[in-house]
Amino acid sequence: MRNLIIIFLVPLYNIMSIYGQQDPHYTQYMYNTMSVNPAYAGSLGHTVINALGRMQWMDIPGAPRTQTLSYETPIDFSRLGLGVNIVNDKIGPSQETSLDLNLSYAIQISETGKLAMGLKLGGRLFNVDWSKSIVKHPKDRLLVPINNKILPTIGAGIYYYTSDWYIGLSTPNFLRTDHYDDNTNQGVVSEERMHFFLIGGKVFQLSDQIKLKPAFLFKGVKGAPISMDLSLNLHYNSKLITGVSWRWKDTISTLIGFQITKQIQLGYAYDLSTSNYRSYNSGTHEIMLRYELFRLGSIVSPRFF
């Protein structure tokens, strides 16, 4: 669960600290890799602009809503890649907007493979407006608004890739920052904790027209169970993508994507809860729009990640 759900529980459990999942989930993580690993920036060899919107747990007031916009490109005549990522994450009365700069450096370590190392620098603007929520005790001294609190971000990652498979390990933020402090009781109520992401995938050529792409994502953070995503996508004639995804003890998802033109890809995912939350929501919707700008005269990369 995310940090503001922790805050909602504070009046009931103000004698202890509670921690949980804080970073947003993405079902289409395999097409939004830079959001979890800065070493991915520029790895495709051309410019990519990616926009994604996620509406989580429909029918639940104040449920998470996340929008991301990213830009990545290789830097000419160098081994460097550059990326910018903007995320707006809203849950209940809180809103967190982040801006991150990603820089990667790739080296050829085998005939077919490259190893990229990435660094992420940025910050988050954090706000909590309790007037946008329904509280039982409006005068509770713990319900202190937060206005434009700046939380710095420093992250890093490594990413190894060939033309048909990849694996990467990253942490989006090394810093442990306090989102919400109970100064009266001198205790931390909500704290940013270090997350670790392990990603991987491979493309299998089943025929001239069909490619099979399994992928996985493991996410770990102290104080919460490991989150595990497994997905399997089929690419038909480089035009249509269909797939399924499963998040351990959480959701099962269906995915569909359309390669509208050589540059434009549209993707949609629907998550259905398999946990106890399924009784209170009608699912999660996620839509993605991806634009790839190829260099004049370049050959389109055969990769699908």
Side-chain angles (χ1 to χ4, degrees):
M1 298 300 296
R2 309 269 281 285
N3 46 18
L4 258 295
I5 293 181
I6 296 170
I7 294 178
F8 298 152
L9 297 176
V10 167
L12 299 178
Y13 303 101
N14 57 14
I15 61 173
M16 59 186 296
S17 297
I18 304 173
Y19 303 104
Q21 295 280 20
Q22 297 169 323
D23 284 359
H25 282 297
Y26 300 108
T27 301
Q28 299 174 92
Y29 59 87
M30 67 292 293
Y31 304 110
N32 191 35
T33 308
M34 193 178 67
S35 65
V36 297
N37 194 326
Y40 182 84
S43 64
L44 279 176
H46 54 264
T47 299
V48 180
I49 301 172
N50 197 67
L52 185 147
R54 181 175 175 85
M55 297 174 289
Q56 189 168 329
W57 301 334
M58 299 299 292
D59 304 329
I60 296 181
R65 299 290 183 265
T66 306
Q67 302 87 37
T68 72
L69 178 64
S70 65
Y71 170 89
E72 58 170 302
T73 186
I75 299 177
D76 289 337
F77 310 111
S78 73
R79 298 175 176 178
L80 296 173
L82 179 67
V84 178
N85 204 44
I86 301 172
V87 179
N88 181 53
D89 192 29
K90 187 174 182 181
I91 175 172
S94 81
Q95 183 171 5
E96 187 173 74
T97 303
S98 64
L99 174 62
D100 297 306
L101 178 68
N102 301 272
L103 186 66
S104 69
Y105 181 80
I107 55 177
Q108 192 88 34
I109 63 172
S110 70
E111 185 177 343
T112 59
K114 291 183 179 181
L115 179 66
M117 295 158 283
L119 178 66
K120 180 172 82 169
L121 299 173
R124 307 180 184 187
L125 196 64
F126 185 57
N127 289 274
V128 177
D129 182 0
W130 292 107
S131 66
K132 296 180 180 180
S133 64
I134 300 175
V135 295
K136 185 175 182 180
H137 304 290
K139 295 183 179 181
D140 194 312
R141 56 187 173 82
L142 295 179
L143 301 181
V144 179
I146 300 174
N147 297 310
N148 296 325
K149 185 172 185 177
I150 298 176
L151 305 169
T153 301
I154 301 176
I158 56 174
Y159 179 73
Y160 177 80
Y161 60 99
T162 69
S163 61
D164 59 5
W165 70 276
Y166 67 94
I167 190 167
L169 179 66
S170 63
T171 178
N173 194 8
F174 290 109
L175 304 179
R176 296 178 58 173
T177 52
D178 299 340
H179 279 64
Y180 188 85
D181 294 313
D182 177 10
N183 294 320
T184 304
N185 293 334
Q186 298 180 349
V188 176
V189 174
S190 179
E191 182 185 39
E192 177 82 10
R193 311 215 77 178
M194 191 184 302
H195 291 64
F196 293 93
F197 290 85
L198 177 65
I199 58 173
K202 183 173 174 60
V203 177
F204 294 93
Q205 186 85 37
L206 301 184
S207 70
D208 291 340
Q209 304 296 326
I210 300 177
K211 297 177 177 66
L212 180 67
K213 178 185 173 182
F216 68 83
L217 182 150
F218 295 136
K219 179 166 70 172
V221 56
K222 184 178 179 181
I226 291 178
S227 174
M228 178 177 65
D229 288 58
L230 302 175
S231 67
L232 189 65
N233 291 347
L234 275 175
H235 296 248
Y236 300 93
N237 198 28
S238 301
K239 296 292 184 182
L240 175 65
I241 303 168
T242 61
V244 293
S245 182
W246 173 69
R247 181 171 298 134
W248 184 47
K249 293 185 177 181
D250 190 9
T251 59
I252 186 169
S253 310
T254 58
L255 302 90
I256 188 167
F258 302 94
Q259 195 69 43
I260 300 173
T261 69
K262 186 175 74 171
Q263 290 85 18
I264 300 174
Q265 178 184 339
L266 178 66
Y268 169 77
Y270 174 76
D271 300 356
L272 182 65
S273 297
T274 57
S275 66
N276 292 335
Y277 295 119
R278 66 181 180 273
S279 302
Y280 306 98
N281 75 91
S282 58
T284 296
H285 301 278
E286 186 178 286
I287 189 167
M288 179 197 70
L289 183 63
R290 179 184 176 101
Y291 178 77
E292 301 185 60
L293 180 61
F294 301 103
R295 299 178 183 179
L296 185 63
S298 67
I299 299 175
V300 177
S301 170
R303 288 169 45 196
F304 289 88
F305 51 86

